[in-house]
Amino acid sequence: MKLVKGNKTLDIDESELDKIIAGFKRTEIDLGTGDGKFVYKSAQRNPEILYIGIDPSEKQLEIYAKRTARKRLKNALFVLGSAEILPNELTGKADKLNIILPWGSLLQLVAKPTQDELKKIKGLLKPHSELIIVFGYSPELEPSEAKRLDLPEITERYIKADVLPEFIKCGFEITKLEKLQSHQLEEFDSTWSKKIRLTSSRPLFIMQAILN
Ligand SMILES: C[S@@+](CC[C@H](N)C(=O)[O-])C[C@H]1O[C@@H](n2cnc3c(N)ncnc32)[C@H](O)[C@@H]1O
């Protein structure tokens, strides 16, 4: 798989990855990590946990990959990939998977999930691991996105009726679904959580699940 290290990319194979993982108590993946701030900040706070951020944008990943290299943080990795094309090396490696404020096809996967797509992200997880998704979207605030992705309005009722059953069918046990107030985004120290916290009052939800 392709790692973004500083402003370079580097290929590592599964045995090299396994050696890194073995040095930590647990491994957490952040899918759609963007610039990687959440991974970087989490890695600074919890040196015993390995954080792996995945995003299709190399330019975005470089932002916190450079800071990680400067600070010589060993527990933050940045990987090029997408929900559709996940590196095989990461199969079954995560104790926890975060998806924070997805947009584009990642938001579509979360808000209009299909079994094929869910199986791909489930593939990242170890048995009994945890999934956390923070998402929300407003057709008024993002009319072009609504049209392009053909998304319905995301309400609690819609999530319960149309989203959760797909996750359950895929083997997840839902442990929490709650509306999130913008200020609660503070818990997720990422670039977009800060932007949204400070600028808009869109409906947001947190969904937590355990893989059975
Ligand atoms: C609004 S940003 C959020 C970034 C970060 N999680 C944060 O909170 O700052 C959405 C991210 O989703 C990524 N994304 C979009 N489609 C994706 C996909 N199919 N698979 C993985 N990431 C995707 C984008 O590249 C972008 O970085």
Side-chain angles (χ1 to χ4, degrees), residues 39-51:
V39 164
Y40 172 83
K41 293 280 183 182
S42 304
Q44 279 189 318
R45 271 196 302 270
N46 305 303
E48 74 289 1
I49 297 176
L50 176 66
Y51 292 91

Side-chain angles (χ1 to χ4, degrees), residues 31-34 55-56 82-84 100-103 105-106 190-193:
L31 180 58
T33 196
D55 203 273
S82 66
E84 294 79 10
I100 302 167
L101 300 167
W103 68 24
S105 53
L106 190 57
S190 76
T191 293
W192 276 89
S193 73

Side-chain angles (χ1 to χ4, degrees), residues 84-202:
E84 294 79 10
I85 308 172
L86 287 165
N88 290 331
E89 293 84 349
L90 289 174
T91 301
K93 299 289 197 280
D95 295 279
K96 184 171 176 184
L97 173 63
N98 292 297
I99 302 180
I100 302 167
L101 300 167
W103 68 24
S105 53
L106 190 57
L107 173 62
Q108 201 167 28
L109 183 158
V110 168
K112 280 176 71 177
T114 66
Q115 288 302 306
D116 280 352
E117 290 163 343
L118 288 183
K119 273 185 202 144
K120 284 190 192 160
I121 61 163
K122 178 182 166 183
L124 293 169
L125 291 164
K126 290 182 187 171
H128 314 299
S129 53
E130 194 183 356
L131 170 68
I132 296 190
I133 305 179
V134 177
F135 69 116
Y137 137 91
S138 153
E140 296 98 62
L141 291 171
E142 294 131 313
S144 60
E145 196 77 341
K147 219 165 162 192
R148 191 170 71 83
L149 301 173
D150 188 25
L151 287 176
E153 192 180 347
I154 299 172
T155 60
E156 194 163 345
R157 194 174 179 175
Y158 168 76
I159 297 172
K160 283 187 175 153
D162 291 69
V163 176
L164 298 189
E166 291 298 329
F167 279 85
I168 292 166
K169 190 169 165 194
C170 192
F172 291 96
E173 182 193 334
I174 310 299
T175 50
K176 179 169 166 178
L177 174 69
E178 272 176 16
K179 255 197 156 145
L180 204 68
Q181 303 305 315
S182 295
H183 68 87
Q184 290 174 284
L185 280 173
E186 266 171 43
E187 197 190 317
F188 302 92
D189 199 356
S190 76
T191 293
W192 276 89
S193 73
K194 189 167 181 189
K195 275 189 199 171
I196 288 178
R197 201 167 78 226
L198 300 178
T199 59
S200 80
S201 56
R202 73 183 62 206

Side-chain angles (χ1 to χ4, degrees), residues 2-58:
K2 256 196 183 7
L3 284 187
V4 177
K5 264 203 141 178
N7 52 5
K8 298 195 180 74
T9 59
L10 170 85
D11 277 303
I12 66 163
D13 64 21
E14 191 169 1
S15 68
E16 290 169 287
L17 175 66
D18 286 343
K19 268 187 219 146
I20 300 174
I21 287 176
F24 297 94
K25 225 164 73 183
R26 48 189 271 124
T27 300
E28 300 193 7
I29 292 181
D30 182 33
L31 180 58
T33 196
D35 64 9
K37 181 181 175 188
F38 176 76
V39 164
Y40 172 83
K41 293 280 183 182
S42 304
Q44 279 189 318
R45 271 196 302 270
N46 305 303
E48 74 289 1
I49 297 176
L50 176 66
Y51 292 91
I52 303 177
I54 306 174
D55 203 273
S57 168
E58 186 175 333

